[in-house]
Amino acid sequence: MSGAQRRSVILGTGSELPAKVVTNGDLEKMVDTSDEWITVRTGIKERRVLEEGKGNADMAYHAAKRALDDAGIKAKDLDAIIMATCTADYLMPSSACVLEDMLEARKAFSFDVNAACSGFLNALSVADSFIRTGQIGNALVVGSDALSRLLNWQDRTTCILFGDGAGAVVLGASENGHGGILSTKLRTDGSYAKTLYVPAGGSLKPARLETVRNNEHTITMNGKEVFKVAVRSMEEISRQALEEAGVKIEQVSLVIPHQANRRIIVALADRLGISMDKVVVNVEKYGNTSAASVPVALDEARRQGRIHKGDIVLLNAFGAGFAWGAAVVQF
Ligand code: COA
């Protein structure tokens, strides 16, 4: 028995963004839209797109390598790889298995978690539980998605929003009871399943010539509904995670929210009563990178020196499902 004080600590972070940049100007040539419309409604200026012939695990690999280097841990010593994604390389096996092989992390068990844009919070929470119960001593947690593969590039209501990327953290165990992951909270409401979804390609509607012709393998969304529920839900779950951690909002040094839309982030900060200088925003560069968005923003914030020892950071995310979550972490 490891004792009640055993906690998970973030030992390292890493991220990877594909080199190909698609600007709002590029999208103006593809659909009836404008840089001004996209900027005002979303804050997004450009996004990255994974090159053809590469899969999700290729991005995840580079993010993972950087996180492992940062943590000073070798892949062969990993106990677990938990990868949040809704755009795995294959329908089976999991992308975590593909990544395990690329990293030669032979000791690790690996699996994917699919909670769409909220997936990284779910994966973090699962890994945290394994560590706190003493089942494992460390874990690589990755959020990696290539939503460009699920976009209808003729649909201006969705193709402007998303981009590709990967972020990773390495978790270790601490027995001293100070810092680390103080709380995680997860929620879902499946009654919204069809508010944001990809209709075909699963067991209900497998890939057929007809489904491809009908563009049913691409994202279908009611953006207004997503917007409304996202702000309310992320506020609520953030407050629950803070309460469970015994942390007041004034003690939070930095909020790292899911990067879906600048307006959602500003509305959330306003409802939480936290000023925007304490909120990480990089949506203008990458768009919504789904499960990658929180770990990419976390990695950038760390590398920019925005997180210091002892700082308390609030992470939160929201996405298809609807699924949402929050975590409070002390560095
Ligand atoms: N360029 C120009 N016009 C566009 C457009 C685009 N890319 N996309 C939609 N429009 C048009 C609409 O057709 C509509 O025209 P109409 O009034 O003639 O019917 C008008 O702009 C307003 O559309 P609407 O959907 O009401 O805009 P909105 O203010 O709700 O903004 C989103 C749309 C998608 C930016 C916004 O709803 C949003 O960000 N939602 C959250 C989506 C999200 O984050 N999803 C992922 C969550 S993980």
Side-chain angles (χ1 to χ4, degrees):
M1 180 71 198
S2 315
Q5 295 302 308
R6 185 175 163 98
R7 288 228 182 100
S8 315
V9 287
I10 293 181
L11 300 176
T13 60
S15 57
E16 164 74 5
L17 282 311
K20 184 177 175 191
V21 177
V22 175
T23 65
N24 291 348
D26 295 328
L27 291 173
E28 283 176 352
K29 294 176 201 135
M30 296 159 71
V31 286
D32 180 14
T33 192
S34 66
D35 174 41
E36 194 201 345
W37 193 97
I38 300 171
T39 307
V40 169
R41 305 276 174 138
T42 71
I44 301 166
K45 299 296 282 183
E46 57 187 45
R47 68 287 294 144
R48 304 297 181 91
V49 170
L50 183 61
E51 70 183 85
E52 288 298 323
K54 297 238 163 165
N56 192 339
D58 290 301
M59 292 188 294
Y61 172 76
H62 293 292
K65 285 288 269 184
R66 289 182 189 120
L68 287 164
D69 283 351
D70 189 34
I73 286 195
K74 298 217 174 331
K76 69 176 177 51
D77 296 322
L78 281 172
D79 292 334
I81 299 175
I82 305 180
M83 180 150 160
T85 188
C86 61
T87 51
D89 297 54
Y90 310 111
L91 283 178
M92 65 171 190
S94 68
S95 273
C97 287
V98 179
L99 180 59
E100 182 263 354
D101 185 48
M102 292 170 110
L103 290 170
E104 298 182 23
R106 298 295 176 225
K107 191 160 74 93
F109 65 84
S110 334
F111 59 89
D112 285 359
V113 165
N114 179 353
C117 295
S118 185
F120 179 75
L121 271 300
N122 290 61
L124 189 74
S125 183
V126 171
D128 175 46
S129 303
F130 275 125
I131 287 177
R132 273 192 293 108
T133 56
Q135 280 195 66
I136 58 175
N138 64 39
L140 172 67
V141 183
V142 185
S144 184
D145 262 318
L147 285 196
S148 67
R149 304 297 202 246
L150 299 179
L151 292 177
N152 173 356
W153 292 97
Q154 266 100 53
D155 177 3
R156 67 176 183 174
T157 68
T158 51
C159 76
I160 57 150
L161 296 173
F162 300 98
D164 304 338
V169 305
V170 175
L171 294 184
S174 161
E175 305 281 350
N176 70 13
H178 298 302
I181 297 181
L182 305 182
S183 68
T184 63
K185 279 277 176 195
L186 304 173
R187 284 287 306 280
T188 50
D189 183 345
S191 67
Y192 288 100
K194 292 187 179 172
T195 310
L196 170 53
Y197 80 129
V198 178
S203 58
L204 184 62
K205 224 179 207 197
R208 300 281 185 263
L209 276 177
E210 192 192 346
T211 60
V212 174
R213 271 195 209 108
N214 295 342
N215 257 322
E216 289 177 280
H217 297 274
T218 58
I219 292 175
T220 303
M221 178 182 74
N222 175 343
K224 269 201 191 320
E225 193 65 15
V226 175
F227 194 110
K228 215 170 51 194
V229 186
V231 175
R232 192 187 335 126
S233 306
M234 280 199 286
E235 181 203 356
E236 189 184 75
I237 204 143
S238 296
R239 291 196 186 282
Q240 289 168 357
L242 288 168
E243 192 182 329
E244 185 160 308
V247 168
K248 294 198 168 28
I249 190 78
E250 305 80 65
Q251 294 172 270
V252 171
S253 307
L254 209 58
V255 181
I256 304 182
H258 175 45
Q259 308 286 313
N261 178 319
R262 190 180 165 86
R263 282 160 60 219
I264 292 180
I265 296 172
V266 170
L268 175 68
D270 186 48
R271 287 172 79 128
L272 286 173
I274 196 150
S275 60
M276 281 302 289
D277 59 308
K278 286 187 174 181
V279 181
V280 175
V281 183
N282 64 11
V283 71
E284 69 283 358
K285 292 189 290 183
Y286 309 132
N288 180 346
T289 57
S290 188
S293 102
V294 169
V296 166
L298 169 63
D299 182 50
E300 285 198 351
R302 276 190 75 234
R303 287 172 200 272
Q304 288 162 1
R306 292 185 73 179
I307 301 176
H308 308 102
K309 196 164 169 46
D311 279 359
I312 295 178
V313 175
L314 169 66
L315 315 176
N316 51 39
F318 181 91
F322 290 154
W324 62 101
V328 180
V329 185
Q330 185 162 30
F331 281 80

